[in-house]
Amino acid sequence: PKYIAIIGGGRWARVIVEVLCEIVSKKTTLYIYSLHNADGMTKWLEFKNFQQNIKVVKTISNIENNKVEAAIVVNSARDHELSTKTLLTMSIPVLVEKPLSLSYSSTKNLMDLANFHQTFLCSAHVFLFSQYIFNFSNHVKKSGDIKSIYIEWRDEKNENRYGEIKLSLIHISEP
């Protein structure tokens, strides 16, 4: 593709930009839309000095939708639905990091919108490649009739991921 949009301004957006710069043509233009960190992304790009045409835009309508051939949504999960809806309405094919949205009904609405606009919509399924999820699933199957599950997910404190320190966050899902 000649034009790809990355929606997000955090660590994961930076990882995606770096990977794209390695695998797409140097003639491909990347647009980064970041509502909360456009200035930070601009400074990061200056520091990295990529040999790629990369533009940071502060409003999603500035991604030149008449040119963008694909978009990758990697912003906060709470913003996935709105960003994806906006892109689909512009008939831009979208890959969304997990989760696609925060509810079944929102996901269904996005799927319907993609069908209406005859536009590709896909969710990244990174957990399909996680052995620990597969192992956990097998333990659950062997445990019999389960009524509820309590999961506490902890990331390693100050974990180095893809060359950056990942902030320590705790995600809790209650039964």
Side-chain angles (χ1 to χ4, degrees):
K2 292 182 182 179
Y3 302 93
I4 301 172
I6 297 90
I7 313 303
R11 183 186 58 82
W12 198 233
R14 290 187 295 274
V15 169
I16 296 295
V17 168
E18 288 193 64
V19 170
L20 287 173
C21 287
E22 292 176 11
I23 64 174
V24 301
S25 166
K26 295 299 177 204
K27 295 179 181 178
T28 299
T29 298
L30 303 179
Y31 290 98
I32 301 172
Y33 163 69
S34 176
L35 181 62
H36 304 293
N37 193 28
D39 293 338
M41 291 301 281
T42 299
K43 288 176 186 173
W44 175 76
L45 288 172
E46 289 169 1
F47 173 76
K48 294 299 279 189
N49 194 30
F50 290 107
Q51 301 303 305
Q52 192 88 30
N53 187 14
I54 306 174
K55 300 176 182 179
V56 177
V57 295
K58 293 184 180 182
T59 59
I60 203 163
S61 60
N62 288 348
I63 62 171
E64 298 185 38
N65 65 304
N66 59 332
K67 295 180 181 179
V68 171
E69 299 168 74
I72 303 171
V73 175
V74 291
N75 54 4
S76 296
R78 69 181 177 272
D79 298 326
H80 286 184
E81 180 184 2
L82 180 59
S83 299
T84 303
K85 183 178 180 179
T86 301
L87 293 161
L88 291 173
T89 301
M90 293 188 276
S91 297
I92 297 173
V94 185
L95 170 66
V96 185
E97 74 163 320
K98 49 90 179 125
L100 187 62
S101 75
L102 297 180
S103 72
Y104 171 81
S105 61
S106 295
T107 298
K108 174 81 170 81
N109 289 339
L110 291 173
M111 291 170 47
D112 291 344
L113 187 61
N115 286 331
F116 177 80
H117 287 279
Q118 299 181 348
T119 304
F120 182 80
L121 170 63
C122 184
S123 177
H125 296 287
V126 294
F127 286 138
L128 291 177
F129 306 99
S130 298
Q131 188 63 38
Y132 57 87
I133 299 291
F134 179 75
N135 292 340
F136 177 74
S137 175
N138 283 333
H139 286 298
V140 170
K141 285 179 192 175
K142 293 175 185 176
S143 297
D145 189 24
I146 296 177
K147 303 287 185 238
S148 68
I149 295 177
Y150 173 84
I151 297 174
E152 183 173 299
W153 182 294
R154 293 180 183 261
D155 287 335
E156 181 180 328
K157 185 176 178 114
N158 299 325
E159 178 182 10
N160 188 325
R161 299 284 296 268
Y162 305 99
E164 289 192 37
I165 300 298
K166 182 177 178 184
L167 299 177
S168 181
L169 300 173
I170 299 174
H171 306 283
I172 299 176
S173 174
E174 296 186 29

